[in-house]
Amino acid sequence: MQTIDMATTPLRDLNAKLQAQAGQTNQTQWEIANPKGAHAIAVGLDAPIEVTVKGSTGYYCAGMNKLATVKVTGSAGPGVAENMMSGTVVIEGDASQYAGATGQGGLLVIKGNASSRCGISMKGIDIVVFGNIGHMSAFMAQSGNLVVLGNAGEALGDSLYEARLFVRGSVKSLGADCIEKEMRPEHIAILQDLLDRSGAPAKPQEFRRYGSARTLYNFHVDNAAAY
Amino acid sequence: MCGIVGLFLKTEDLHPRLGDLLTDMLITLTDRGPDSAGIAIYGDVDGGLKMTVQSDTPAQTFAGLQDALETALGQKVEVRVIDTHAVLSLPAGSGAAAQAFMADRGIRVMGTGECMEIFKEVGLPRDVAARFGLRQMAGSHGIGHTRMATESAVTTLGAHPFSTGDDQCLVHNGSLSNHNAMRRVLTAKGFAPKTQNDTEVAACYISSRLAEGASLGAALEGTLQDLDGFFTFVVGTKTGFGVVRDPVACKPAVMAETEDYVAFGSEYRALATLPGIETARVWEPEPATVYFWER
């Protein structure tokens, strides 16, 4: 176990050290002490290492993550796991706005609540939130899965493309072109896998599925007057 | 961007440390706005009226101010000069006469009240705090702001907090889009903003609502109906402390509460050095939801 204390190590040195770990490193376990809400902790990692941040983080923790597993024992600020490519990010507490934004792959698990714009423009990432999510979540989400054990805020899935949204609780309102869809066996299987991998205490049968009505994909001449 | 901090103490034990705690919180957020910084601090009530004034030429302006003011008011006053500001201790009821005196001499009044003092200047939080000795200040609650200017010039009067009523102050992260229309409405009501700044319009709006008899909570609710744009507001009154975010809520906000205090920060890192933060209840205030505490 390698420990980096942010009370004595500058952020750039910390990130440079973590980013320098190659795919074959023997130093796979890292612990970061005293994050105190600092920005951009453990960003741009590109090795199968496991990093545990002991405390709460500020903006953009674990951004652009590839292969690594990043755990935050406290809460995460805005943009956690933004543009993640692969790997796993686990937040024990809450996550602020636009968690997992534009993520292309990997798994983001938020054990508390996520606030507004969770999974905005997601492009293949899987996000599992044990609590609630805020308004405008999965706005323009393109692919991947967003799983919410609690409730969703206003305008869920506005202008959605092909991402799948699974919500166990209530949905305050659906955004433009987002509709409830039938839960078929293949969706139960996808959801079961995600719940298992994230350790979420829920059964797939308890969820409803939402997705794109695909009416915004092409220009409709009937709407010409609106432009 | 801009950075906001606020601290509302529930226990008297922390009163002597208010300035010290707020200063650290504010300096932590320097990179959210290095243009100017300010703080409003609520101290002891001594039965009189406090008036904080400011001058760009304090040596000339404040020399002889006490004598001239005593002559004008016909009563004893105290003048405490702190850098470009001076805090005047006036007899209760002399506010209007003192305001007229300052207007005649072109001295800027930053705020008045029974317990509020307000200090703001252009510069980094670290430097502004040092110039005013913010660390040494005691009190029951206070709010601070570090500014990245968008809607008006980088000047002392454009810095936050804005005070537009006795013991009232407001800080803002965001930008309002209907402030010119609202400025005309407020001017007609007798609550004319003094500057071209959008935030001062919000402060005047809340002052006007409070003057009409609204509670702090109702006045903050009103901002959601009547103000358009991006905002996270933190406001202080003599006995209260409130927070409201616009419905879109893209301006960040984190709150923490313990048995000893309620704290606000634009980011968690501003709260990370507070005593007992490890076990505090920490949450992100909901959009379009009013939070306020009164003692």
Side-chain angles (χ1 to χ4, degrees):
Chain A
M1 169 80 74
Q2 317 286 310
T3 299
I4 303 177
D5 188 348
M6 293 193 69
T8 51
T9 306
L11 177 72
R12 286 183 181 211
D13 293 359
L14 173 147
N15 279 327
K17 197 173 267 185
L18 295 176
Q19 288 160 3
Q21 301 305 309
Q24 303 302 316
T25 181
N26 291 324
Q27 299 175 334
T28 58
Q29 300 288 318
W30 295 80
E31 191 171 281
I32 299 174
N34 290 310
K36 293 190 184 298
H39 298 181
I41 294 174
V43 295
L45 306 191
D46 191 8
I49 58 175
E50 189 170 321
V51 180
T52 302
V53 183
K54 305 282 276 183
S56 292
T57 60
Y59 282 82
Y60 307 125
C61 177
M64 300 175 282
N65 186 54
K66 239 173 152 181
L67 301 174
T69 297
V70 179
K71 292 182 176 166
V72 176
T73 64
S75 290
V80 66
E82 188 175 57
N83 210 37
M84 178 155 71
M85 303 302 286
S86 64
T88 305
V89 175
V90 180
I91 311 301
E92 292 292 335
D94 298 331
S96 186
Q97 53 184 329
Y98 48 93
T102 75
Q104 312 232 359
L107 175 66
L108 168 62
V109 180
I110 297 160
K111 295 194 174 175
N113 301 314
S115 68
S116 60
R117 293 171 276 273
C118 180
I120 184 171
S121 195
M122 55 193 275
K123 298 178 174 75
I125 189 175
D126 292 320
I127 304 175
V128 180
V129 181
F130 288 18
N132 305 322
I133 58 171
H135 63 272
M136 295 299 284
S137 288
F139 175 61
M140 295 188 84
Q142 289 147 58
S143 69
N145 299 286
L146 173 62
V147 180
V148 184
L149 275 62
N151 305 321
E154 288 174 290
L156 176 69
D158 193 286
S159 306
L160 189 68
Y161 292 84
E162 292 302 300
R164 300 181 198 92
L165 315 181
F166 299 100
V167 183
R168 184 167 70 163
S170 65
V171 174
K172 198 162 185 187
S173 66
L174 292 173
D177 209 35
C178 183
I179 55 170
E180 185 174 351
K181 292 188 162 182
E182 177 194 8
M183 188 80 112
R184 295 196 299 268
E186 67 262 36
H187 304 121
I188 295 284
I190 290 167
L191 191 49
Q192 183 72 63
D193 174 59
L194 285 170
L195 294 171
D196 289 347
R197 281 164 55 208
S198 58
K203 295 187 183 70
Q205 292 78 9
E206 298 165 347
F207 289 77
R208 288 162 178 256
R209 179 169 74 102
Y210 303 89
S212 175
R214 303 184 177 117
T215 61
L216 294 178
Y217 278 27
N218 301 299
F219 177 71
H220 248 282
V221 74
D222 293 352
N223 296 335
Y227 296 94
Chain B
M1 289 209 284
C2 299
I4 301 176
V5 298
L7 194 55
F8 181 79
L9 301 177
K10 299 182 190 173
T11 46
E12 290 214 1
D13 297 355
L14 282 175
H15 284 200
R17 292 183 59 197
L18 180 69
D20 195 31
L21 294 169
L22 272 173
T23 301
D24 280 336
M25 293 166 76
L26 197 58
I27 290 173
T28 302
L29 294 186
T30 297
D31 51 16
R32 292 194 64 87
D35 293 337
S36 45
I39 199 162
I41 201 149
Y42 293 79
D44 295 333
V45 177
D46 62 7
L49 180 72
K50 285 183 184 176
M51 177 177 281
T52 310
V53 297
Q54 187 269 355
S55 169
D56 291 338
T57 54
Q60 297 95 304
T61 307
F62 298 149
L65 179 64
Q66 184 174 356
D67 289 344
L69 191 55
E70 286 182 346
T71 305
L73 297 179
Q75 299 185 77
K76 278 282 194 203
V77 303
E78 282 177 38
V79 176
R80 179 162 49 98
V81 175
I82 310 171
D83 199 78
T84 53
H85 288 42
V87 179
L88 316 177
S89 297
L90 309 171
S94 61
Q99 289 272 11
F101 175 91
M102 299 303 160
D104 279 351
R105 298 187 163 220
I107 301 174
R108 296 163 174 168
V109 177
M110 310 304 266
T112 57
E114 289 179 36
C115 56
M116 185 192 71
E117 297 177 14
I118 192 162
F119 305 93
K120 58 187 188 182
E121 271 301 349
V122 173
L124 295 174
R126 180 191 63 209
D127 300 333
V128 172
R131 284 168 67 178
F132 294 121
L134 296 184
R135 279 194 191 279
Q136 286 73 46
M137 292 182 186
S140 56
H141 55 299
I143 60 181
H145 186 272
T146 178
R147 180 173 187 229
M148 183 172 282
T150 55
E151 297 293 302
S152 72
V154 178
T155 59
T156 305
L157 288 183
H160 304 213
F162 284 93
S163 178
T164 53
D166 280 3
D167 287 314
Q168 295 166 19
C169 71
L170 176 142
V171 296
H172 173 206
N173 179 15
S175 55
L176 301 180
S177 43
N178 68 339
H179 62 100
N180 283 328
M182 184 54 67
R183 182 178 277 115
R184 288 190 285 274
V185 171
L186 292 166
T187 301
K189 280 184 171 185
F191 288 86
K194 292 177 190 164
T195 72
Q196 289 304 303
N197 184 281
D198 59 331
T199 302
E200 193 190 3
V201 172
C204 286
Y205 173 83
I206 289 176
S207 293
S208 75
R209 293 295 308 273
L210 293 173
E212 288 162 6
S215 66
L216 175 59
L220 292 173
E221 287 283 353
T223 64
L224 295 167
Q225 309 303 320
D226 296 329
L227 298 180
D228 188 22
F230 295 117
F231 55 86
T232 292
F233 294 134
V234 178
V235 302
T237 66
K238 192 169 103 180
T239 55
F241 175 79
V243 174
V244 64
R245 303 173 77 194
D246 72 78
V248 177
C250 62
K251 297 301 176 187
V254 182
M255 300 204 67
E257 184 165 15
T258 71
E259 288 183 359
D260 296 328
Y261 58 79
V262 177
F264 178 97
S266 291
E267 298 180 35
Y268 174 79
R269 62 192 167 121
L271 313 177
T273 51
L274 288 173
I277 190 68
E278 301 79 13
T279 53
R281 182 172 80 94
V282 177
W283 78 101
E284 184 169 308
E286 293 281 333
T289 304
V290 169
Y291 297 81
F292 69 99
W293 289 262
E294 294 255 19
R295 60 178 93 254

